């Protein structure tokens, strides 16, 4: 998903690797097809408006962070997240996008993480997943991937694993390269 003020670096590594894979095509989705401007000033024109997204064709739905999630609730997005979850389409959120996942109730029964303990409660009074919060860079559980805003490599690692972009041993080598600069 793309929107004004999205934290473009948080998903960049994952998207580049997914886009290189012949099995998937990255499609940008916006609330409309109007051009958006990222935090870094990059202009992106969404290919599809949220209302026109065919959820049956989605392999995963990725929400990057951005300040908007702390103050804006999009009923159409929450409805889509619930629909995708029902269809068992994986959903991934990093940084403040975990707020949208909490608002949709997707974190109440799954292990997850976010920017820090207490962050989700601060922005989502109805959040009921405190018992399942993990102080970890990234967490995947039952089709939902969450990550802290400082864990873009770990987030990418979980996304690539979910989509089986690489064989398990290659994925481990990929992570060692991008996280620790350990050449294979």
């Amino acid at each position: 998903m793309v929107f004004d003020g999205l934290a473009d670096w948080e998903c960049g590594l994952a998207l580049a690797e997914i886009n290189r894979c012949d099995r998937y095509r990255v499609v940008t989705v916006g609330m409309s097809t109007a051009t958006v401007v990222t935090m870094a000033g990059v202009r992106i024109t969404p290919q599809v408006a949220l209302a026109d997204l065919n959820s049956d064709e989605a392999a995963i739905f990725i929400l990057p962070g951005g300040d908007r999630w702390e103050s804006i609730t999009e009923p159409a997005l929450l409805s889509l997240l619930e629909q995708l979850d029902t269809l068992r389409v994986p959903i991934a959120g990093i940084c403040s996008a975990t707020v949208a996942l909490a608002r949709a109730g997707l974190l109440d029964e799954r292990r997850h993480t976010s920017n820090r303990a207490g962050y989700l409660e601060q922005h989502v009074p109805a959040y009921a997943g405190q018992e399942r919060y993990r102080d970890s860079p990234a967490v995947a559980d039952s089709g939902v991937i969450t990550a802290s805003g400082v864990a873009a490599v770990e987030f990418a690692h979980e996304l690539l694993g979910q989509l089986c972009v690489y064989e398990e041993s290659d994925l481990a080598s990929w992570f060692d390269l991008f996280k620790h600069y350990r050449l294979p």
Side-chain angles (χ1 to χ4, degrees):
M1 180 153 189
V2 297
F3 51 87
D4 282 324
L6 78 93
D8 41 10
W9 66 92
E10 292 176 342
C11 296
L13 187 55
L15 293 175
E17 296 296 326
I18 293 167
N19 202 45
R20 291 177 55 201
C21 177
D22 292 336
R23 292 187 310 260
Y24 303 105
R25 180 175 57 95
V26 174
V27 175
T28 53
V29 179
M31 291 307 294
S32 72
T33 56
T35 299
V36 300
V37 181
T38 71
M39 278 188 187
V42 176
R43 294 184 179 284
I44 301 172
T45 302
Q47 295 163 276
V48 178
L50 189 70
D52 299 326
L53 179 67
N54 183 347
S55 53
D56 292 330
E57 295 178 357
I60 196 166
F61 192 75
I62 304 169
L63 293 170
D67 295 336
R68 77 175 328 225
W69 302 122
E70 294 177 354
S71 59
I72 296 176
T73 300
E74 301 282 359
L77 175 63
L78 298 181
S79 177
L80 174 66
L81 293 174
E82 292 167 6
Q83 177 185 14
L84 291 168
D85 188 47
T86 299
L87 293 171
R88 297 182 192 261
V89 173
I91 301 166
I94 185 170
C95 193
S96 61
T98 57
V99 170
L101 300 180
R103 282 191 183 122
L106 299 179
L107 305 182
D108 291 347
E109 299 298 323
R110 293 175 169 104
R111 289 175 294 112
H112 60 279
T113 194
S114 186
N115 287 335
R116 60 178 158 66
Y119 176 76
L120 295 172
E121 293 96 316
Q122 179 183 354
H123 297 288
V124 185
Y127 165 69
Q130 296 87 344
E131 296 283 325
R132 290 168 186 81
Y133 181 84
R134 302 293 182 261
D135 188 20
S136 181
V139 174
D141 187 9
S142 303
V144 173
I145 298 167
T146 53
S148 163
V150 296
V153 175
E154 292 87 349
F155 186 62
H157 178 260
E158 293 296 337
L159 289 168
L160 300 175
Q162 176 71 50
L163 294 171
C164 300
V165 170
Y166 296 117
E167 297 293 327
E168 202 168 312
S169 63
D170 292 335
L171 182 58
S173 294
W174 177 93
F175 183 78
D176 279 344
L177 174 64
F178 283 92
K179 183 65 179 180
H180 307 290
Y181 190 62
R182 291 188 194 125
L183 300 172

